[in-house]
């Protein structure tokens, strides 16, 4: 795609959204919740509506200097904001607006790709795809700017897939009259490969996982199959329900029909809510899975305590509401409804163990995934292990946890 074509695509996509509704105000709450929301905002002391995933984005491939430059442009904008205390709530599609600034960075990488060849060009396009994805973060259902950014992200990923030396195949799995779109990444197709099914949280796309394959799985000749969580990205036709692993289960059962993978050697990696889904799948389909890793997954604690849910940043409340397909939200009933998402309440972590060795990890002090949750998972998994990653060395912690995750899978898949 030439720079001009891309410029045109961007202008066409965003032309009608100069005054699009700003992300932090998209989710409608009951009037009775207004005071609680105002109080939460004032007491939180947070300067951003979005949870800034700096480490995760850098690990996924964003240049830290470019990232800080984008955040500085957003923070320094003189345009009006929906909420003055939140820097990333600049209204309208122009300088300082979250989607605008991240899209601009994506275009810069797309332009650089046009000046490079082969793998270097592919890497720039994968980077562009990631920037466009972050432009749409946290990907709320009715966020028009986010939907347009997602279209740019998907296109850049497709262009990158054509340029890279690795093989990326789009897999379509029939499910309830529609198709689940997954992407299979392979270092080569000389023989069926062990495969890891990867799923991210409720606020990032399957295409954000490229670096995990390139840097960690491809060198071990392990294939990666990415799937979006229900209600998001390619899986947006389906609302999220407490059966969080339904799409992954359908994909798992399709593996024997995919010639490039060895369906007797299947591993799982789930980040955040994807971890909840894949731990659940490890109980549901324990004879088809060799090993599972979860990072920062909400398992039981946060769902079992309505008080904790009410203390969550507004972005997370908006996210849960949009994934459940709610038109108008009542925080109190949402908190009650989330009880059903606890894997313990669902009966998985109470009596029967799974044969799948699960490594459950989270960063120290993680409010969504406390150590007690991971200990519970380890207890009900044969050879399971819980690991707390020290937040003192958080950057190293991220790398260490991934190295540990890959080693865990490698030991089970390659022996």
């Amino acid at each position: 795609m030439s720079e001009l074509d891309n410029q045109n695509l961007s202008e066409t996509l965003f032309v009608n959204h100069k005054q699009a509704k700003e992300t932090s105000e998209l989710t409608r709450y009951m009037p009775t919740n207004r005071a609680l929301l105002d109080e939460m905002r004032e007491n939180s002391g947070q300067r951003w509506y979005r949870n800034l995933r700096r480490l995760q984005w850098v690990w996924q491939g964003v240049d830290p200097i470019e990232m800080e430059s984008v955040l500085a442009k957003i923070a320094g904008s003189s345009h009006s904001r929906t909420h003055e205390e939140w820097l990333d709530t600049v209204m309208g599609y122009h300088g300082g607006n979250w989607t605008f600034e991240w899209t601009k960075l994506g275009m810069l990488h797309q332009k650089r790709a046009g000046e490079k060849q082969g793998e270097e060009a592919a890497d720039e396009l994968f980077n562009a795809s990631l920037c466009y994805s972050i432009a749409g973060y946290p990907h709320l259902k009715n966020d028009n700017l986010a939907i347009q950014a997602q279209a740019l992200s998907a296109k850049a990923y497709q262009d990158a897939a054509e340029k890279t030396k690795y093989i990326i195949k789009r897999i379509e799995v029939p499910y309830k009259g529609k198709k689940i779109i997954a992407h299979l990444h392979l270092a080569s197709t000389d023989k069926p490969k062990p495969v890891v099914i990867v799923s991210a949280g409720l606020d990032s796309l399957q295409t954000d996982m490229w670096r995990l394959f390139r840097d960690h799985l491809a060198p071990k000749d392990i294939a990666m199959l990415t799937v979006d969580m229900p209600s998001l990205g390619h899986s947006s036709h389906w609302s999220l329900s407490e059966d969080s692993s339904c799409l992954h289960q359908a994909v798992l059962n399709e593996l024997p029909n995919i010639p490039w993978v060895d369906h007797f050697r299947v591993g799982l990696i789930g980040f955040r809510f994807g971890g909840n889904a894949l731990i659940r799948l490890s109980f549901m389909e324990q004879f088809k899975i060799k090993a599972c890793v979860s990072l920062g997954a909400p398992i039981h604690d946060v769902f079992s305590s309505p008080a904790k849910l009410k203390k969550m940043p507004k972005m997370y409340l908006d996210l849960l509401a949009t994934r459940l397909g709610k038109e108008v939200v009542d925080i109190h009933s949402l908190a009650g409804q989330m009880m059903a998402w606890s894997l313990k309440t669902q009966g998985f972590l109470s009596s029967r163990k799974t044969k799948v060795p699960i490594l459950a990890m989270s960063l120290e002090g993680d409010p969504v995934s406390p150590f007690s949750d991971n200990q519970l998972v380890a207890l009900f998994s044969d050879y399971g292990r819980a690991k707390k990653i020290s937040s003192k060395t958080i950057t190293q912690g991220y790398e260490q946890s991934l190295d540990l995750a890959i080693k865990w899978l490698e030991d089970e898949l390659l022996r």
Side-chain angles (χ1 to χ4, degrees):
M1 195 187 219
S2 77
E3 187 195 340
L4 185 64
D5 287 345
N6 195 57
Q7 197 68 35
N8 290 345
L9 173 61
S10 166
E11 279 165 12
T12 318
L13 285 175
F14 291 112
V15 72
N16 300 323
H17 299 295
K18 287 277 188 248
Q19 287 309 319
K21 203 165 184 192
E22 193 274 312
T23 308
S24 70
E25 277 302 295
L26 283 169
T27 309
R28 290 166 58 213
Y29 286 83
M30 298 285 278
T32 48
N33 288 172
R34 194 40 66 191
L36 177 61
L37 286 167
D38 290 343
E39 188 189 329
M40 281 162 67
R41 193 172 64 248
E42 280 154 26
N43 294 345
S44 75
Q46 287 174 317
R47 300 294 290 133
W48 301 80
Y49 160 70
R50 289 165 183 82
N51 179 20
L52 300 185
R53 294 269 171 86
R54 283 181 164 91
L55 286 167
Q56 183 182 317
W57 294 332
V58 169
W59 165 69
Q60 287 171 337
V62 175
D63 178 295
I65 294 168
E66 290 182 345
M67 172 176 68
E68 292 308 331
S69 161
V70 167
L71 296 176
K73 282 176 191 155
I74 294 167
S77 173
S78 56
H79 289 294
S80 52
R81 293 176 166 83
T82 312
H83 299 287
E84 275 311 313
E85 57 270 65
W86 283 338
L87 298 168
D88 54 332
T89 61
V90 169
M91 296 182 269
Y93 187 71
H94 44 59
N97 171 270
W98 179 274
T99 310
F100 179 90
E101 295 297 352
W102 279 103
T103 299
K104 207 164 127 192
L105 181 58
M107 293 194 159
L108 180 66
H109 282 285
Q110 197 129 19
K111 179 171 179 266
R112 286 180 197 159
E115 297 156 4
K116 293 182 175 171
Q117 297 294 316
E119 216 51 39
E120 285 189 336
D123 277 342
E124 289 290 358
L125 286 164
F126 282 122
N127 248 327
S129 173
L130 179 60
C131 292
Y132 294 141
S133 171
I134 298 170
Y137 171 75
H139 304 283
L140 300 185
K141 260 275 174 53
N142 44 354
D143 188 341
N144 288 324
L145 291 182
I147 292 161
Q148 311 299 350
Q150 209 169 300
L152 285 174
S153 177
K155 178 74 179 88
Y157 203 81
Q158 198 183 325
D159 293 346
E162 287 164 15
K163 285 201 165 23
T164 180
K165 65 181 178 190
Y166 298 102
I167 298 133
I168 301 179
K169 294 181 180 290
R170 181 182 159 110
I171 306 287
E172 300 189 355
V173 179
Y175 181 73
K176 294 193 173 173
K178 296 191 175 74
K179 286 199 170 102
I180 303 166
I181 307 293
H183 287 90
L184 178 64
H185 305 71
L186 303 144
S188 66
T189 52
D190 54 343
K191 60 181 192 291
K193 310 287 183 190
V195 61
V196 175
I197 297 175
V198 177
S199 198
L202 295 176
D203 55 10
S204 55
L205 306 175
Q206 59 174 291
T207 47
D208 299 349
M209 291 294 147
W210 168 249
R211 281 287 182 96
L212 177 63
F213 172 69
R214 191 195 74 181
D215 297 349
H216 295 272
L217 295 171
K220 312 279 186 200
D221 206 15
I222 297 172
M224 174 174 90
L225 187 61
T226 52
V227 187
D228 283 317
M229 284 295 290
S231 77
L232 180 70
H234 289 299
S235 304
S236 54
H237 318 296
W238 298 283
S239 273
L240 188 64
S241 73
E242 52 266 35
D243 181 4
S244 58
S245 54
C246 58
L247 301 185
H248 303 85
Q249 193 170 8
V251 170
L252 179 69
N253 289 326
E254 182 68 16
L255 293 183
N257 305 324
I258 301 175
W260 307 284
V261 303
D262 177 351
H263 66 279
F264 294 110
R265 293 192 290 168
V266 181
L268 310 173
I269 298 185
F271 296 85
R272 281 299 189 210
F273 220 104
N276 175 293
L278 296 183
I279 288 168
R280 190 176 191 279
L281 188 62
S282 298
F283 281 84
M284 305 269 293
E285 297 282 7
Q286 55 181 299
F287 298 104
K288 295 179 183 173
I289 295 159
K290 287 276 189 232
C292 172
V293 177
S294 73
L295 285 111
I299 313 288
H300 169 68
D301 183 79
V302 77
F303 300 130
S304 64
S305 161
K308 280 187 182 165
L309 201 85
K310 288 175 194 170
K311 286 197 182 111
M312 274 191 169
K314 183 171 184 291
M315 185 195 97
Y316 285 119
L317 294 173
D318 290 355
L319 201 58
L320 290 170
T322 193
R323 299 293 169 243
L324 294 169
K326 290 191 176 299
E327 291 297 316
V328 181
V329 187
D330 174 42
I331 295 172
H332 306 288
S333 71
L334 181 69
Q337 197 183 341
M338 293 316 289
M339 294 282 274
W341 299 74
S342 153
L343 295 184
K344 188 176 180 182
T345 306
Q346 289 182 28
F348 290 111
L349 303 168
S350 49
S351 53
R352 286 197 319 274
K353 277 189 158 193
T354 174
K355 290 185 169 12
V356 179
I358 303 173
L359 169 62
M361 295 191 277
S362 59
L363 291 168
E364 203 174 347
D366 184 340
V368 175
S369 181
F371 190 53
S372 58
D373 268 9
N374 295 322
Q375 284 177 306
L376 189 62
V377 172
L379 190 64
F380 285 96
S381 150
D382 280 351
Y383 311 107
R385 186 178 166 199
K387 172 98 172 96
K388 193 191 296 180
I389 298 145
S390 164
S391 50
K392 283 197 284 290
T393 55
I394 200 161
T395 323
Q396 287 169 301
Y398 229 84
E399 277 304 318
Q400 278 168 359
S401 57
L402 281 165
D403 291 341
L404 194 63
I406 302 305
K407 180 87 180 75
W408 185 265
L409 293 165
E410 196 186 348
D411 286 349
E412 299 300 327
L413 295 182
L414 301 182
R415 65 179 177 183

